[in-house]
Amino acid sequence: MNISVTIPQPLTREQRDALMVARYSDGETLDAIGQTFGISRERVRQIIAKVGGTNAEESRRKRMETRDAAIEATRESFMKTFGVLCRDMARQGVTRADAVVRLKYLYPSVDIDIAEDALKSSSIVFDKSHPEDIFSNEVLTAGVWFLTGSELRLGPDLPWSAVNLDLSLINDLQSILEVTSATASDLSTILGVIGAAQKHLRDNPTASITGARYDQLRDELVDALGLVSKQGAAPWPPTRQTVMKRFGGWNEALGAMGIGTTTRGRPKGLLKFTQEEYDDAVSDFSAFSKTNGIKATFAAYDEWVKLELGKGMTRPSGASVRNVYGTWADALRSVDA
């Protein structure tokens, strides 16, 4: 930090020392002060300590406050100019990274680092990247078949799979899993379980899997089979939210795949709470998070639900909200529309 200061001449020692103390108290560094007076930073420190001025921690805090204020001003300036435009892009499903790229090319004067920082700190809810878009419906449904077969404890049916599974599915799964630590034997097992599940459901059409159990099994098997890519992602089997977003709901997905629909839970969550009550819950939580300066995350919502219950107010769970709106981001966007 360099602060331009006009020093009256000549200064008495007391005036000089007082000026040093004042500048250090304002957050200026020992080096900058020393350069002004032609003395070392250590000598400046000794003088300030002797006079009894601001200590190093207080000066550092002042510098941090000044820096943070400058950063916040930069963010506010960016949002004042581009906030509405970025909010419109978010409503169209654009990711934050893609929004920055669009701004970079359409408004060349935009500093992309400032744009990224401002948008990351803003309340705009952008979609995350869309790993589900890399899946064909065939590959996505194969993940559900695999975990359904795992839930039913079916052993791999290799002969049935060899005859009945499409070669395109086999090739696609091989391409997806080749970037993971899954072995050729693991792929054979997965394909065999998919086939076994399809064969079993043909004879037992009511067999099914709940969304909660699907998520639990996915977490267990991703780890057990090493279905994590070299980049640290675990795209397959797809998450329950990915499946629901593609088909519009969990039971809708099971029905489309020919798997028995589950009877647990409430269709879209609307039997216990009305749509208006869902909208009110998301809106009230959004207002609560802004008032209290917290991020409007899925986890924070569930904590807020507990607080509301303590006040005698029953709110829909985070899982129900996500089920009704499709994704947590869509729920937050609904109150910002």
Side-chain angles (χ1 to χ4, degrees):
M1 178 187 301
N2 291 312
I3 301 175
S4 178
V5 178
T6 301
I7 304 174
Q9 297 292 339
L11 289 175
T12 65
R13 176 174 295 182
E14 289 75 15
Q15 289 173 328
R16 182 202 67 173
D17 293 353
L19 187 55
M20 287 184 184
V21 169
R23 290 172 61 179
Y24 192 58
S25 179
D26 286 339
E28 193 167 355
T29 65
L30 295 173
D31 281 329
I33 296 171
Q35 290 174 15
T36 299
F37 292 98
I39 58 178
S40 69
R41 69 184 306 277
E42 178 58 22
R43 181 56 183 152
V44 174
R45 187 194 64 76
Q46 292 172 355
I47 291 172
I48 292 173
K50 180 179 179 181
V51 175
T54 301
N55 62 36
E57 184 60 35
E58 291 172 344
S59 181
R60 188 178 301 110
R61 179 182 58 78
K62 185 67 176 181
R63 288 197 299 274
M64 294 294 289
E65 290 176 352
T66 301
R67 186 203 66 176
D68 290 346
I71 292 174
E72 186 58 33
T74 301
R75 291 171 177 166
E76 290 179 358
S77 177
F78 173 87
M79 294 303 296
K80 183 177 180 180
T81 303
F82 297 104
V84 173
L85 176 59
C86 291
R87 202 173 295 278
D88 288 342
M89 285 193 280
R91 288 174 182 148
Q92 295 297 319
V94 175
T95 65
R96 185 174 68 232
D98 286 350
V100 171
V101 171
R102 292 175 185 228
L103 291 175
K104 171 185 176 182
Y105 289 113
L106 292 168
Y107 300 90
S109 62
V110 168
D111 185 309
I112 60 174
D113 290 331
I114 291 175
E116 175 67 25
D117 176 66
L119 293 178
K120 187 175 182 180
S121 303
S122 75
S123 62
I124 299 176
V125 182
F126 288 95
D127 272 354
K128 298 186 183 298
S129 58
H130 302 292
E132 67 268 21
D133 291 343
I134 69 174
F135 297 141
S136 64
N137 277 351
E138 188 177 32
V139 169
L140 187 144
T141 57
V144 180
W145 281 109
F146 171 56
L147 292 182
T148 299
S150 300
E151 168 68 355
L152 297 173
R153 300 182 180 278
L154 301 178
D157 191 330
L158 301 182
W160 194 95
S161 300
V163 173
N164 293 281
L165 293 187
D166 288 340
L167 182 59
S168 61
L169 170 62
I170 296 173
N171 287 332
D172 286 346
L173 278 180
Q174 191 277 329
S175 296
I176 289 172
L177 298 182
E178 70 179 355
V179 298
T180 74
S181 58
T183 65
S185 178
D186 291 331
L187 176 61
S188 173
T189 297
I190 290 169
L191 292 170
V193 171
I194 291 171
Q198 292 180 351
K199 180 181 178 182
H200 181 85
L201 266 292
R202 184 186 60 184
D203 300 325
N204 303 273
T206 61
S208 188
I209 183 172
T210 66
R213 181 58 179 157
Y214 177 93
D215 276 344
Q216 182 181 2
L217 273 177
R218 178 181 184 271
D219 290 342
E220 294 173 359
L221 291 171
V222 161
D223 182 60
L225 294 176
L227 303 179
V228 179
S229 74
K230 297 172 184 177
Q231 291 73 39
W236 194 91
T239 65
R240 175 172 51 151
Q241 291 307 312
T242 294
V243 174
M244 290 171 59
K245 191 167 185 179
R246 180 72 65 89
F247 290 92
W250 185 246
N251 280 342
E252 288 81 356
L254 296 182
M257 298 173 195
I259 299 174
T261 56
T262 60
T263 57
R264 299 182 188 179
R266 299 178 297 277
K268 291 292 189 180
L270 292 179
L271 292 184
K272 183 174 182 181
F273 298 98
T274 65
Q275 183 63 55
E276 183 178 4
E277 287 172 325
Y278 274 94
D279 293 341
D280 287 344
V282 177
S283 179
D284 291 347
F285 169 69
S286 179
F288 170 83
S289 64
K290 290 176 182 177
T291 299
N292 291 276
I294 62 175
K295 287 285 188 181
T297 63
F298 180 80
Y301 174 84
D302 274 340
E303 290 301 315
W304 175 77
V305 168
K306 295 176 184 178
L307 292 176
E308 290 288 280
L309 186 59
K311 299 175 184 178
M313 175 70 75
T314 303
R315 303 282 195 170
S317 69
S320 294
V321 169
R322 194 159 56 181
N323 189 34
V324 166
Y325 292 92
T327 68
W328 178 245
D330 287 336
L332 293 181
R333 271 197 291 269
S334 72
V335 302
D336 195 35

